[in-house]
Amino acid sequence: MTTALSAPLMNEFLRPLSQRLTVDFAQSLIGVKADAAVQKRVALLASKANEGMLSLAEKDEYHSCILAGSMIACLQAQARLLLANQDS
């Protein structure tokens, strides 16, 4: 099963990458989201998780999705900070 990272640890883990963000890439990164098929799959896994009906493989898949989503969200937050500082 995938091990979760705390938000502060994830931010530290991603800091070297976020420090290399360009304005153009930051603007692109903010708009990144999973396609409809991925969103549908994650919603199904979430529903099954809430019902306690995930298989071991699905638990691993769901935790991987959560981790990936969290990493993208952290990078998007860093991108928003970069762009906000560009306006200052």
Side-chain angles (χ1 to χ4, degrees), residues 12-31:
E12 288 303 313
F13 179 74
L14 295 173
R15 184 178 311 281
L17 180 59
S18 65
Q19 289 174 336
R20 289 168 176 78
L21 288 176
T22 64
V23 171
D24 288 340
F25 187 68
Q27 290 169 333
S28 298
L29 185 58
I30 289 172

Side-chain angles (χ1 to χ4, degrees), residues 49-72:
N50 289 338
E51 297 168 7
M53 301 296 292
L54 289 174
S55 68
L56 290 177
E58 289 172 327
K59 283 181 184 180
D60 192 44
E61 180 184 6
Y62 186 49
H63 286 286
S64 294
C65 291
I66 292 169
L67 181 58
S70 297
M71 291 174 73
I72 292 167

Side-chain angles (χ1 to χ4, degrees), residues 31-61:
V32 169
K33 67 177 189 173
D35 67 25
V38 172
Q39 290 180 29
K40 184 176 179 181
R41 179 66 178 160
V42 173
L44 173 66
L45 293 170
S47 178
K48 289 180 78 171
N50 289 338
E51 297 168 7
M53 301 296 292
L54 289 174
S55 68
L56 290 177
E58 289 172 327
K59 283 181 184 180
D60 192 44
E61 180 184 6

